[in-house]
Amino acid sequence: MKEWKIKALYYGKITVPKGNLAAGLDPDLIIDFPYTGYLLQNGEQNVVVDTGIHEDHIVDGRAWGGCPAEGGSKYVLESLEKEGLTPKDIDTVLYTHLHNDHAGCALLFPEAKTYFQKDEYANLLNPLPTQMIREDFDARTPGDLKQLKNIYMLDGDMVLPNGLELYKLPGHTSGSMAIVVPTAEGRYVLTGDIPHLYLSLFPKSDKYELLGGEIIDITPAPDKMMPYLFNSVIYDHYAAFDSYNKLKCLAEDFDPKWYLTGHDPWIINRHSFG
Ligand SMILES: [Zn+2]
């Protein structure tokens, strides 16, 4: 089995009060959170994880929750170009989930083998009213997915023949999925948005790295919030608790360095893993 290498892809950013993603801690702290994708390469295959936000979903410079945002297909294409690739070079697309900022540019990859969870597709087609307030899903995504030529709809956990491991982790959405990537360094977990930030798994952290590399002080969680820091975008707390427990076991070690989350800036700064 060939070992994998991981590159973080910068698909733009959204500017959100940290408290929204970290159980209300530091409510006045406003942070640029990247829209993040990943490129996985094993010398034979090019795999993309998530396809970012579509430019039409950013209205008057604002996206999810009315927060300032930038991104779109141009960003996805440029991030691939920096790796010497175009969408035609991508064999496989894996979706951690189908939210607007993770599946917006699906149509850039119409021929690729495309994997997502069956329950995620059901959630996309039947969102709860609370999920519609902030337009968690992009209205274009159901139509986009119908145009893809090579869909693999999964139910649950599996190991692909190429060694990538897929785990269903509901809570943030019904069919969220983590991807475990075996590399020469060890097992990295691409978590998707459960958690958005490593702070959810490591709530006692008191430092945080911003886009560009500056490190700031943050408020560690009080004991009553342990063991996990939930946020405003957990729709099933029971499922999420189980998913976090599962996530804890998947990486090389239970240490922030192995958890490549949906929106942590340090990942973009470091760029390359494995
Ligand atoms: Zn999400």
Side-chain angles (χ1 to χ4, degrees), residues 97 99 101-102 172 193 196:
H97 62 307
H99 270 170
D101 52 334
H102 292 260
H172 174 64
D193 283 357
H196 292 80

Side-chain angles (χ1 to χ4, degrees), residues 233-259:
V233 213
I234 297 289
Y235 290 105
D236 183 337
H237 281 238
Y238 288 93
F241 211 88
D242 289 340
S243 290
Y244 275 61
N245 285 337
K246 193 166 165 184
L247 208 46
K248 238 177 132 169
C249 309
L250 293 180
E252 183 69 23
D253 189 14
F254 188 54
D255 182 288
K257 69 176 272 193
W258 299 109
Y259 289 89

